[in-house]
Amino acid sequence: MRFDRRGVAMLATLISVLACSPADEPPPTGHHLPADHRAGAPGIGDPDFPTDGNGGYDVSHYDLAIDYTPTTKRLEGVTTIHAGATQELTSFNLDLAGLTVREVSVDGSPATFTRQGDELTVRPPQAIDGNTPFTVKVTYSGLPKPATNNANLGTYGFIPTSDGAFVASEPNGSKTWFPNNDHPSDKATFDFTITVPAGVTALANGEPAGQPTTSGGKTTYRWRERHPMATYLATATLGKFELRQGNTAAGIANLAAADPKFKASLNDLYTASAEITDYWSTVFGPYPFSSTGGVVDDYSAGYALENQTKPLYGGFDPGETIIAHELAHQWFGNSLTIRRWKDLWLNEGFATYAEWLWSEHKGKKTAESFFRDFHQRPADDPMWKYPPGRAKPDDLFNQSVYTRGGMTLHALRKAIGDATFFTLLKTWAAEHRYGHVTTEQFVDLAERLSGKDLNGLFDAWLFQPRRPA
Ligand code: TRP
Ligand code: ZN
């Protein structure tokens, strides 16, 4: 479910014309083999993350089967990907970090494959026609290793714990546990079949697809997320968990899970998640998914991630502020998803502003007061040097993207008034429900609804390396 990148298609056509090599002639031999223009690109086209995601196809559904043993930390997996080719494909890539691939098939026929870095290149026995659906099945296994490389991102991806795994994959860590098109511009639905030793609980996105079944000392859990989801929001968090299940007052299925170490937070997590989901539904519009809730694991990440339908809290007692933040992401980030990482303020600025709105709603500190306190920070505060409208690939989650991003929304609220501002939030969420968004689209909508020229405001708040007046 990726957008059409017409420019890229035109460029591909131009290159094929320049290369002067008709598609059905065998490639010339010799030292200067032209790149096969029928090979899917190794990146999806995000200039800040050139090898993330892949070109030439668009995934509609992932079917993940995973068997994981906490004592050995070994994962056995079969991933079946349903995709549509967006061009003729003699080969295409998937993203996969580490692990050993045993077998790949395309539409049921064995395919050859090669590995290079985090790219798995698949060569089907026959080229796939453009505009055609196809299925690729990858059988793999090994000891998953989380990503640790990125400057300010810490450890993320599939993180083994003593009783299971803590799985938080933003921005590109889902390739540490299954082969996929690892970029938010390609969303898809997911089915999970997760087998673990009996006594271990498997928590993935969406809702249970049938009761767990146990045999031979192993339990298999099935989960289904039937709304489109970015790969970084996929989770299969495993371990010993206490559960509380029910419905919010407005009737949305609610599941809270806590590691026994955090048993004391289970009820608060359950209650706050329900209340906040229902409140955001009145402010942002109808909840986009079929269930809500959250998971507290004992891995001391010190952070949380907005995993679709099941935010994950790493090693602390989640309070209302962070729950409000992660649940606001279900609208801003998860239902409305960025096409490129530089627009990350559309996720984090909105979720941070939601924290202030929650505080205001509870009769505590107002959004205006948060805004003022931050605005008073001295001119040499690092936040003013970092324009949040262009998140930097080596410092993606800089505080500016959160705080100055949130301040941008408050400055906008003051400029267009409460009535238009809150209509804008709902209209934004409704118009792009389950879709993709860019900053330009948000600015356009704000101008359309307010009838004001807001270029100066957005430019000062999002794009200038100095404190706005
Ligand atoms: N999006 C998360 C938040 O704002 C922060 C985050 C970024 C994160 N990358 C992560 C959390 C990786 C866990 C793992 O709450
Ligand atoms: Zn966030």
Side-chain angles (χ1 to χ4, degrees), residues 1 3 184-185 187 228-230 288-289 331 333-339 428-438 441:
M1 300 190 190
F3 65 105
S185 58
K187 298 205 279 188
M229 178 165 78
F289 306 122
W331 283 260
N334 301 9
S335 172
L336 279 67
T337 302
I338 53 178
R339 283 186 195 284
W428 179 239
E431 282 193 355
H432 300 285
R433 191 169 166 94
Y434 308 130
H436 286 104
V437 288
T438 62
Q441 288 175 313

Side-chain angles (χ1 to χ4, degrees), residues 156 168 170 303-306 325-326 329 348 397 402:
Y156 63 97
E170 193 181 18
Y303 55 57
L305 183 65
E306 62 266 23
H325 177 114
E326 305 310 332
H329 274 310
E348 301 306 345
F397 296 91
Y402 287 72

Side-chain angles (χ1 to χ4, degrees), residues 160-175:
T161 60
S162 57
D163 62 354
F166 178 94
V167 184
S169 296
E170 193 181 18
N172 51 13
S174 73
K175 66 182 171 190

Side-chain angles (χ1 to χ4, degrees), residues 404-417:
R404 196 170 148 186
M407 294 174 79
T408 302
L409 290 176
H410 192 72
L412 175 65
R413 177 179 169 184
K414 291 204 283 189
I416 66 179

Side-chain angles (χ1 to χ4, degrees), residues 121-138:
T121 301
V122 177
R123 191 170 285 276
Q126 287 139 265
I128 300 166
D129 289 340
N131 252 312
T132 310
F134 66 98
T135 300
V136 50
K137 180 174 156 193
V138 181

Side-chain angles (χ1 to χ4, degrees), residues 11 25 31 66 162 311 326 413 427 437 466:
L11 189 62
E25 249 174 46
H31 298 292
I66 280 168
S162 57
E326 305 310 332
R413 177 179 169 184
T427 308
V437 288
R466 65 188 67 87

